Amino acid sequence: QNKKYKKCSEAYQEYMEQFAPVFQDFKMFGFTLGENIAFQNADSERLDELIRLVELDGMVSKLPKGTDTRMFKIFEEDGVEPSGGEQQKLAIARALYKNAPVIILDEPTAALDPIAEYEIYRQFHTLVGDKTAFYISHRLSSCRFCDRIAVFAGGKIAEYGSHDELVDIPGGIYAKMFEAQSQYYR
């Protein structure tokens, strides 16, 4: 029985190492900024690179202790209180630090303003590199950078293709939704 449990536990651990998710309801902790990204034994060069990639280097450079600054005021009075957008960027850096082959992004930029969101997506391919990325969103303007888009309806894939292919489907679900949403971005 113990061998069977150990084998399942190892298989589960291997499975979990394949994925780096950023969910809508991610959590930040009252640890240092660096620990919130890398947890323990952070490679400072990699940490600095990811902070630059998610464009938090300006914020971090202003902190008296840099990545050793404690987040929130739970444990230290001088803890930093990052904005929702800054926390979302930290969550993205956390997923990238894990260096898993598959990244899952579930509405990862919902708290970002449109300009900050654009900056993340402008360099999305640089961020994820050669990893496989699943991007889940209801905000179709942020799907334009995706290689392939799957539109789900009724629990099934109703449409599948690139942004350009999907907006050209007459009466298509994606085309209708994109048109309805795009009026807010003009």
Side-chain angles (χ1 to χ4, degrees), residues 134-154:
F134 288 92
Y135 175 73
I136 303 160
S137 182
H138 292 91
R139 196 180 314 176
L140 301 185
S141 64
S142 61
C143 296
R144 296 181 79 154
F145 70 91
C146 297
D147 295 328
R148 307 304 290 162
I149 300 168
V151 179
F152 288 82

mmCIF file with all atom_site columns, all heavy atoms in Angstrom, residues 134-154:
data_model
loop_
_atom_site.group_PDB
_atom_site.id
_atom_site.type_symbol
_atom_site.label_atom_id
_atom_site.label_alt_id
_atom_site.label_comp_id
_atom_site.label_asym_id
_atom_site.label_entity_id
_atom_site.label_seq_id
_atom_site.pdbx_PDB_ins_code
_atom_site.Cartn_x
_atom_site.Cartn_y
_atom_site.Cartn_z
_atom_site.occupancy
_atom_site.B_iso_or_equiv
_atom_site.pdbx_formal_charge
_atom_site.auth_seq_id
_atom_site.auth_comp_id
_atom_site.auth_asym_id
_atom_site.auth_atom_id
_atom_site.pdbx_PDB_model_num
ATOM 1   N N   . PHE A 1 134 ? -1.246  28.281 -22.688 1.00 0.00 ? 134 PHE A N   1
ATOM 2   C CA  . PHE A 1 134 ? -2.695  28.303 -22.821 1.00 0.00 ? 134 PHE A CA  1
ATOM 3   C C   . PHE A 1 134 ? -3.158  29.606 -22.198 1.00 0.00 ? 134 PHE A C   1
ATOM 4   O O   . PHE A 1 134 ? -2.862  29.889 -21.037 1.00 0.00 ? 134 PHE A O   1
ATOM 5   C CB  . PHE A 1 134 ? -3.355  27.124 -22.088 1.00 0.00 ? 134 PHE A CB  1
ATOM 6   C CG  . PHE A 1 134 ? -3.127  25.814 -22.768 1.00 0.00 ? 134 PHE A CG  1
ATOM 7   C CD1 . PHE A 1 134 ? -2.046  25.023 -22.421 1.00 0.00 ? 134 PHE A CD1 1
ATOM 8   C CD2 . PHE A 1 134 ? -3.983  25.372 -23.761 1.00 0.00 ? 134 PHE A CD2 1
ATOM 9   C CE1 . PHE A 1 134 ? -1.812  23.812 -23.044 1.00 0.00 ? 134 PHE A CE1 1
ATOM 10  C CE2 . PHE A 1 134 ? -3.760  24.161 -24.394 1.00 0.00 ? 134 PHE A CE2 1
ATOM 11  C CZ  . PHE A 1 134 ? -2.674  23.383 -24.040 1.00 0.00 ? 134 PHE A CZ  1
ATOM 12  N N   . TYR A 1 135 ? -3.862  30.387 -22.988 1.00 0.00 ? 135 TYR A N   1
ATOM 13  C CA  . TYR A 1 135 ? -4.325  31.686 -22.538 1.00 0.00 ? 135 TYR A CA  1
ATOM 14  C C   . TYR A 1 135 ? -5.850  31.662 -22.536 1.00 0.00 ? 135 TYR A C   1
ATOM 15  O O   . TYR A 1 135 ? -6.478  31.420 -23.555 1.00 0.00 ? 135 TYR A O   1
ATOM 16  C CB  . TYR A 1 135 ? -3.785  32.761 -23.483 1.00 0.00 ? 135 TYR A CB  1
ATOM 17  C CG  . TYR A 1 135 ? -4.310  34.127 -23.174 1.00 0.00 ? 135 TYR A CG  1
ATOM 18  C CD1 . TYR A 1 135 ? -3.859  34.821 -22.062 1.00 0.00 ? 135 TYR A CD1 1
ATOM 19  C CD2 . TYR A 1 135 ? -5.258  34.720 -23.981 1.00 0.00 ? 135 TYR A CD2 1
ATOM 20  C CE1 . TYR A 1 135 ? -4.356  36.064 -21.759 1.00 0.00 ? 135 TYR A CE1 1
ATOM 21  C CE2 . TYR A 1 135 ? -5.759  35.969 -23.693 1.00 0.00 ? 135 TYR A CE2 1
ATOM 22  C CZ  . TYR A 1 135 ? -5.302  36.635 -22.573 1.00 0.00 ? 135 TYR A CZ  1
ATOM 23  O OH  . TYR A 1 135 ? -5.796  37.871 -22.283 1.00 0.00 ? 135 TYR A OH  1
ATOM 24  N N   . ILE A 1 136 ? -6.448  31.904 -21.383 1.00 0.00 ? 136 ILE A N   1
ATOM 25  C CA  . ILE A 1 136 ? -7.898  31.863 -21.229 1.00 0.00 ? 136 ILE A CA  1
ATOM 26  C C   . ILE A 1 136 ? -8.380  33.284 -20.984 1.00 0.00 ? 136 ILE A C   1
ATOM 27  O O   . ILE A 1 136 ? -7.907  33.954 -20.057 1.00 0.00 ? 136 ILE A O   1
ATOM 28  C CB  . ILE A 1 136 ? -8.297  30.959 -20.041 1.00 0.00 ? 136 ILE A CB  1
ATOM 29  C CG1 . ILE A 1 136 ? -7.727  29.550 -20.244 1.00 0.00 ? 136 ILE A CG1 1
ATOM 30  C CG2 . ILE A 1 136 ? -9.807  30.934 -19.863 1.00 0.00 ? 136 ILE A CG2 1
ATOM 31  C CD1 . ILE A 1 136 ? -7.632  28.725 -18.982 1.00 0.00 ? 136 ILE A CD1 1
ATOM 32  N N   . SER A 1 137 ? -9.310  33.751 -21.827 1.00 0.00 ? 137 SER A N   1
ATOM 33  C CA  . SER A 1 137 ? -9.777  35.121 -21.676 1.00 0.00 ? 137 SER A CA  1
ATOM 34  C C   . SER A 1 137 ? -11.151 35.315 -22.295 1.00 0.00 ? 137 SER A C   1
ATOM 35  O O   . SER A 1 137 ? -11.511 34.644 -23.256 1.00 0.00 ? 137 SER A O   1
ATOM 36  C CB  . SER A 1 137 ? -8.793  36.093 -22.334 1.00 0.00 ? 137 SER A CB  1
ATOM 37  O OG  . SER A 1 137 ? -9.232  37.415 -22.139 1.00 0.00 ? 137 SER A OG  1
ATOM 38  N N   . HIS A 1 138 ? -11.868 36.268 -21.725 1.00 0.00 ? 138 HIS A N   1
ATOM 39  C CA  . HIS A 1 138 ? -13.118 36.729 -22.322 1.00 0.00 ? 138 HIS A CA  1
ATOM 40  C C   . HIS A 1 138 ? -12.889 38.062 -23.042 1.00 0.00 ? 138 HIS A C   1
ATOM 41  O O   . HIS A 1 138 ? -13.747 38.536 -23.746 1.00 0.00 ? 138 HIS A O   1
ATOM 42  C CB  . HIS A 1 138 ? -14.187 36.923 -21.241 1.00 0.00 ? 138 HIS A CB  1
ATOM 43  C CG  . HIS A 1 138 ? -14.623 35.641 -20.639 1.00 0.00 ? 138 HIS A CG  1
ATOM 44  N ND1 . HIS A 1 138 ? -14.025 35.101 -19.515 1.00 0.00 ? 138 HIS A ND1 1
ATOM 45  C CD2 . HIS A 1 138 ? -15.568 34.761 -21.011 1.00 0.00 ? 138 HIS A CD2 1
ATOM 46  C CE1 . HIS A 1 138 ? -14.608 33.960 -19.227 1.00 0.00 ? 138 HIS A CE1 1
ATOM 47  N NE2 . HIS A 1 138 ? -15.546 33.726 -20.110 1.00 0.00 ? 138 HIS A NE2 1
ATOM 48  N N   . ARG A 1 139 ? -11.722 38.665 -22.820 1.00 0.00 ? 139 ARG A N   1
ATOM 49  C CA  . ARG A 1 139 ? -11.367 39.940 -23.441 1.00 0.00 ? 139 ARG A CA  1
ATOM 50  C C   . ARG A 1 139 ? -10.653 39.622 -24.752 1.00 0.00 ? 139 ARG A C   1
ATOM 51  O O   . ARG A 1 139 ? -9.470  39.346 -24.788 1.00 0.00 ? 139 ARG A O   1
ATOM 52  C CB  . ARG A 1 139 ? -10.459 40.741 -22.511 1.00 0.00 ? 139 ARG A CB  1
ATOM 53  C CG  . ARG A 1 139 ? -10.384 42.184 -22.900 1.00 0.00 ? 139 ARG A CG  1
ATOM 54  C CD  . ARG A 1 139 ? -9.506  43.006 -22.003 1.00 0.00 ? 139 ARG A CD  1
ATOM 55  N NE  . ARG A 1 139 ? -9.720  42.767 -20.595 1.00 0.00 ? 139 ARG A NE  1
ATOM 56  C CZ  . ARG A 1 139 ? -9.014  43.325 -19.631 1.00 0.00 ? 139 ARG A CZ  1
ATOM 57  N NH1 . ARG A 1 139 ? -8.043  44.160 -19.932 1.00 0.00 ? 139 ARG A NH1 1
ATOM 58  N NH2 . ARG A 1 139 ? -9.254  43.065 -18.376 1.00 0.00 ? 139 ARG A NH2 1
ATOM 59  N N   . LEU A 1 140 ? -11.399 39.656 -25.849 1.00 0.00 ? 140 LEU A N   1
ATOM 60  C CA  . LEU A 1 140 ? -10.876 39.175 -27.124 1.00 0.00 ? 140 LEU A CA  1
ATOM 61  C C   . LEU A 1 140 ? -9.783  40.062 -27.718 1.00 0.00 ? 140 LEU A C   1
ATOM 62  O O   . LEU A 1 140 ? -8.957  39.571 -28.490 1.00 0.00 ? 140 LEU A O   1
ATOM 63  C CB  . LEU A 1 140 ? -12.016 38.983 -28.118 1.00 0.00 ? 140 LEU A CB  1
ATOM 64  C CG  . LEU A 1 140 ? -13.093 37.988 -27.669 1.00 0.00 ? 140 LEU A CG  1
ATOM 65  C CD1 . LEU A 1 140 ? -14.112 37.779 -28.775 1.00 0.00 ? 140 LEU A CD1 1
ATOM 66  C CD2 . LEU A 1 140 ? -12.502 36.677 -27.238 1.00 0.00 ? 140 LEU A CD2 1
ATOM 67  N N   . SER A 1 141 ? -9.725  41.321 -27.342 1.00 0.00 ? 141 SER A N   1
ATOM 68  C CA  . SER A 1 141 ? -8.653  42.169 -27.864 1.00 0.00 ? 141 SER A CA  1
ATOM 69  C C   . SER A 1 141 ? -7.290  41.654 -27.412 1.00 0.00 ? 141 SER A C   1
ATOM 70  O O   . SER A 1 141 ? -6.287  41.862 -28.087 1.00 0.00 ? 141 SER A O   1
ATOM 71  C CB  . SER A 1 141 ? -8.843  43.619 -27.412 1.00 0.00 ? 141 SER A CB  1
ATOM 72  O OG  . SER A 1 141 ? -8.742  43.701 -25.998 1.00 0.00 ? 141 SER A OG  1
ATOM 73  N N   . SER A 1 142 ? -7.266  40.961 -26.285 1.00 0.00 ? 142 SER A N   1
ATOM 74  C CA  . SER A 1 142 ? -6.000  40.433 -25.788 1.00 0.00 ? 142 SER A CA  1
ATOM 75  C C   . SER A 1 142 ? -5.684  39.054 -26.362 1.00 0.00 ? 142 SER A C   1
ATOM 76  O O   . SER A 1 142 ? -4.643  38.488 -26.059 1.00 0.00 ? 142 SER A O   1
ATOM 77  C CB  . SER A 1 142 ? -6.006  40.384 -24.255 1.00 0.00 ? 142 SER A CB  1
ATOM 78  O OG  . SER A 1 142 ? -7.024  39.534 -23.795 1.00 0.00 ? 142 SER A OG  1
ATOM 79  N N   . CYS A 1 143 ? -6.551  38.523 -27.188 1.00 0.00 ? 143 CYS A N   1
ATOM 80  C CA  . CYS A 1 143 ? -6.313  37.210 -27.817 1.00 0.00 ? 143 CYS A CA  1
ATOM 81  C C   . CYS A 1 143 ? -5.613  37.336 -29.169 1.00 0.00 ? 143 CYS A C   1
ATOM 82  O O   . CYS A 1 143 ? -5.200  36.334 -29.742 1.00 0.00 ? 143 CYS A O   1
ATOM 83  C CB  . CYS A 1 143 ? -7.630  36.471 -28.021 1.00 0.00 ? 143 CYS A CB  1
ATOM 84  S SG  . CYS A 1 143 ? -8.478  36.042 -26.505 1.00 0.00 ? 143 CYS A SG  1
ATOM 85  N N   . ARG A 1 144 ? -5.473  38.532 -29.667 1.00 0.00 ? 144 ARG A N   1
ATOM 86  C CA  . ARG A 1 144 ? -4.932  38.731 -31.018 1.00 0.00 ? 144 ARG A CA  1
ATOM 87  C C   . ARG A 1 144 ? -3.533  38.161 -31.193 1.00 0.00 ? 144 ARG A C   1
ATOM 88  O O   . ARG A 1 144 ? -3.148  37.774 -32.277 1.00 0.00 ? 144 ARG A O   1
ATOM 89  C CB  . ARG A 1 144 ? -4.931  40.212 -31.371 1.00 0.00 ? 144 ARG A CB  1
ATOM 90  C CG  . ARG A 1 144 ? -6.344  40.786 -31.432 1.00 0.00 ? 144 ARG A CG  1
ATOM 91  C CD  . ARG A 1 144 ? -6.304  42.214 -31.794 1.00 0.00 ? 144 ARG A CD  1
ATOM 92  N NE  . ARG A 1 144 ? -6.107  42.273 -33.250 1.00 0.00 ? 144 ARG A NE  1
ATOM 93  C CZ  . ARG A 1 144 ? -6.487  43.257 -34.009 1.00 0.00 ? 144 ARG A CZ  1
ATOM 94  N NH1 . ARG A 1 144 ? -7.070  44.295 -33.472 1.00 0.00 ? 144 ARG A NH1 1
ATOM 95  N NH2 . ARG A 1 144 ? -6.276  43.229 -35.294 1.00 0.00 ? 144 ARG A NH2 1
ATOM 96  N N   . PHE A 1 145 ? -2.748  38.121 -30.125 1.00 0.00 ? 145 PHE A N   1
ATOM 97  C CA  . PHE A 1 145 ? -1.370  37.644 -30.220 1.00 0.00 ? 145 PHE A CA  1
ATOM 98  C C   . PHE A 1 145 ? -1.281  36.115 -30.251 1.00 0.00 ? 145 PHE A C   1
ATOM 99  O O   . PHE A 1 145 ? -0.225  35.562 -30.535 1.00 0.00 ? 145 PHE A O   1
ATOM 100 C CB  . PHE A 1 145 ? -0.534  38.175 -29.047 1.00 0.00 ? 145 PHE A CB  1
ATOM 101 C CG  . PHE A 1 145 ? -0.914  37.555 -27.736 1.00 0.00 ? 145 PHE A CG  1
ATOM 102 C CD1 . PHE A 1 145 ? -0.268  36.415 -27.291 1.00 0.00 ? 145 PHE A CD1 1
ATOM 103 C CD2 . PHE A 1 145 ? -1.922  38.089 -26.965 1.00 0.00 ? 145 PHE A CD2 1
ATOM 104 C CE1 . PHE A 1 145 ? -0.616  35.826 -26.097 1.00 0.00 ? 145 PHE A CE1 1
ATOM 105 C CE2 . PHE A 1 145 ? -2.284  37.503 -25.765 1.00 0.00 ? 145 PHE A CE2 1
ATOM 106 C CZ  . PHE A 1 145 ? -1.621  36.372 -25.341 1.00 0.00 ? 145 PHE A CZ  1
ATOM 107 N N   . CYS A 1 146 ? -2.378  35.423 -29.968 1.00 0.00 ? 146 CYS A N   1
ATOM 108 C CA  . CYS A 1 146 ? -2.364  33.960 -29.893 1.00 0.00 ? 146 CYS A CA  1
ATOM 109 C C   . CYS A 1 146 ? -2.216  33.327 -31.279 1.00 0.00 ? 146 CYS A C   1
ATOM 110 O O   . CYS A 1 146 ? -2.799  33.813 -32.254 1.00 0.00 ? 146 CYS A O   1
ATOM 111 C CB  . CYS A 1 146 ? -3.648  33.452 -29.244 1.00 0.00 ? 146 CYS A CB  1
ATOM 112 S SG  . CYS A 1 146 ? -3.855  33.989 -27.534 1.00 0.00 ? 146 CYS A SG  1
ATOM 113 N N   . ASP A 1 147 ? -1.450  32.247 -31.356 1.00 0.00 ? 147 ASP A N   1
ATOM 114 C CA  . ASP A 1 147 ? -1.277  31.533 -32.629 1.00 0.00 ? 147 ASP A CA  1
ATOM 115 C C   . ASP A 1 147 ? -2.583  30.877 -33.061 1.00 0.00 ? 147 ASP A C   1
ATOM 116 O O   . ASP A 1 147 ? -2.966  30.956 -34.221 1.00 0.00 ? 147 ASP A O   1
ATOM 117 C CB  . ASP A 1 147 ? -0.204  30.443 -32.495 1.00 0.00 ? 147 ASP A CB  1
ATOM 118 C CG  . ASP A 1 147 ? 1.172   31.020 -32.225 1.00 0.00 ? 147 ASP A CG  1
ATOM 119 O OD1 . ASP A 1 147 ? 1.468   32.131 -32.712 1.00 0.00 ? 147 ASP A OD1 1
ATOM 120 O OD2 . ASP A 1 147 ? 1.947   30.358 -31.518 1.00 0.00 ? 147 ASP A OD2 1
ATOM 121 N N   . ARG A 1 148 ? -3.238  30.216 -32.124 1.00 0.00 ? 148 ARG A N   1
ATOM 122 C CA  . ARG A 1 148 ? -4.510  29.534 -32.399 1.00 0.00 ? 148 ARG A CA  1
ATOM 123 C C   . ARG A 1 148 ? -5.482  29.871 -31.281 1.00 0.00 ? 148 ARG A C   1
ATOM 124 O O   . ARG A 1 148 ? -5.099  29.949 -30.112 1.00 0.00 ? 148 ARG A O   1
ATOM 125 C CB  . ARG A 1 148 ? -4.341  28.011 -32.455 1.00 0.00 ? 148 ARG A CB  1
ATOM 126 C CG  . ARG A 1 148 ? -3.257  27.508 -33.401 1.00 0.00 ? 148 ARG A CG  1
ATOM 127 C CD  . ARG A 1 148 ? -3.357  27.943 -34.839 1.00 0.00 ? 148 ARG A CD  1
ATOM 128 N NE  . ARG A 1 148 ? -4.458  27.328 -35.547 1.00 0.00 ? 148 ARG A NE  1
ATOM 129 C CZ  . ARG A 1 148 ? -4.946  27.788 -36.684 1.00 0.00 ? 148 ARG A CZ  1
ATOM 130 N NH1 . ARG A 1 148 ? -4.434  28.853 -37.246 1.00 0.00 ? 148 ARG A NH1 1
ATOM 131 N NH2 . ARG A 1 148 ? -5.930  27.189 -37.277 1.00 0.00 ? 148 ARG A NH2 1
ATOM 132 N N   . ILE A 1 149 ? -6.746  30.037 -31.657 1.00 0.00 ? 149 ILE A N   1
ATOM 133 C CA  . ILE A 1 149 ? -7.791  30.389 -30.699 1.00 0.00 ? 149 ILE A CA  1
ATOM 134 C C   . ILE A 1 149 ? -8.891  29.346 -30.798 1.00 0.00 ? 149 ILE A C   1
ATOM 135 O O   . ILE A 1 149 ? -9.350  29.018 -31.896 1.00 0.00 ? 149 ILE A O   1
ATOM 136 C CB  . ILE A 1 149 ? -8.364  31.795 -31.003 1.00 0.00 ? 149 ILE A CB  1
ATOM 137 C CG1 . ILE A 1 149 ? -7.248  32.837 -30.909 1.00 0.00 ? 149 ILE A CG1 1
ATOM 138 C CG2 . ILE A 1 149 ? -9.526  32.121 -30.067 1.00 0.00 ? 149 ILE A CG2 1
ATOM 139 C CD1 . ILE A 1 149 ? -7.626  34.194 -31.468 1.00 0.00 ? 149 ILE A CD1 1
ATOM 140 N N   . ALA A 1 150 ? -9.299  28.839 -29.646 1.00 0.00 ? 150 ALA A N   1
ATOM 141 C CA  . ALA A 1 150 ? -10.423 27.900 -29.578 1.00 0.00 ? 150 ALA A CA  1
ATOM 142 C C   . ALA A 1 150 ? -11.570 28.618 -28.882 1.00 0.00 ? 150 ALA A C   1
ATOM 143 O O   . ALA A 1 150 ? -11.407 29.117 -27.774 1.00 0.00 ? 150 ALA A O   1
ATOM 144 C CB  . ALA A 1 150 ? -10.038 26.645 -28.814 1.00 0.00 ? 150 ALA A CB  1
ATOM 145 N N   . VAL A 1 151 ? -12.707 28.678 -29.550 1.00 0.00 ? 151 VAL A N   1
ATOM 146 C CA  . VAL A 1 151 ? -13.903 29.298 -28.988 1.00 0.00 ? 151 VAL A CA  1
ATOM 147 C C   . VAL A 1 151 ? -14.805 28.166 -28.499 1.00 0.00 ? 151 VAL A C   1
ATOM 148 O O   . VAL A 1 151 ? -15.176 27.288 -29.280 1.00 0.00 ? 151 VAL A O   1
ATOM 149 C CB  . VAL A 1 151 ? -14.649 30.154 -30.043 1.00 0.00 ? 151 VAL A CB  1
ATOM 150 C CG1 . VAL A 1 151 ? -15.903 30.770 -29.436 1.00 0.00 ? 151 VAL A CG1 1
ATOM 151 C CG2 . VAL A 1 151 ? -13.729 31.215 -30.619 1.00 0.00 ? 151 VAL A CG2 1
ATOM 152 N N   . PHE A 1 152 ? -15.115 28.211 -27.212 1.00 0.00 ? 152 PHE A N   1
ATOM 153 C CA  . PHE A 1 152 ? -15.961 27.163 -26.631 1.00 0.00 ? 152 PHE A CA  1
ATOM 154 C C   . PHE A 1 152 ? -17.398 27.646 -26.536 1.00 0.00 ? 152 PHE A C   1
ATOM 155 O O   . PHE A 1 152 ? -17.657 28.780 -26.142 1.00 0.00 ? 152 PHE A O   1
ATOM 156 C CB  . PHE A 1 152 ? -15.454 26.789 -25.235 1.00 0.00 ? 152 PHE A CB  1
ATOM 157 C CG  . PHE A 1 152 ? -14.173 26.018 -25.259 1.00 0.00 ? 152 PHE A CG  1
ATOM 158 C CD1 . PHE A 1 152 ? -12.959 26.654 -25.379 1.00 0.00 ? 152 PHE A CD1 1
ATOM 159 C CD2 . PHE A 1 152 ? -14.190 24.625 -25.172 1.00 0.00 ? 152 PHE A CD2 1
ATOM 160 C CE1 . PHE A 1 152 ? -11.770 25.947 -25.410 1.00 0.00 ? 152 PHE A CE1 1
ATOM 161 C CE2 . PHE A 1 152 ? -13.011 23.905 -25.201 1.00 0.00 ? 152 PHE A CE2 1
ATOM 162 C CZ  . PHE A 1 152 ? -11.794 24.572 -25.323 1.00 0.00 ? 152 PHE A CZ  1
ATOM 163 N N   . ALA A 1 153 ? -18.328 26.775 -26.874 1.00 0.00 ? 153 ALA A N   1
ATOM 164 C CA  . ALA A 1 153 ? -19.757 27.042 -26.735 1.00 0.00 ? 153 ALA A CA  1
ATOM 165 C C   . ALA A 1 153 ? -20.450 25.706 -26.496 1.00 0.00 ? 153 ALA A C   1
ATOM 166 O O   . ALA A 1 153 ? -20.150 24.722 -27.180 1.00 0.00 ? 153 ALA A O   1
ATOM 167 C CB  . ALA A 1 153 ? -20.311 27.725 -27.977 1.00 0.00 ? 153 ALA A CB  1
ATOM 168 N N   . GLY A 1 154 ? -21.315 25.671 -25.536 1.00 0.00 ? 154 GLY A N   1
ATOM 169 C CA  . GLY A 1 154 ? -22.036 24.434 -25.242 1.00 0.00 ? 154 GLY A CA  1
ATOM 170 C C   . GLY A 1 154 ? -21.120 23.295 -24.811 1.00 0.00 ? 154 GLY A C   1
ATOM 171 O O   . GLY A 1 154 ? -21.414 22.131 -25.078 1.00 0.00 ? 154 GLY A O   1
#
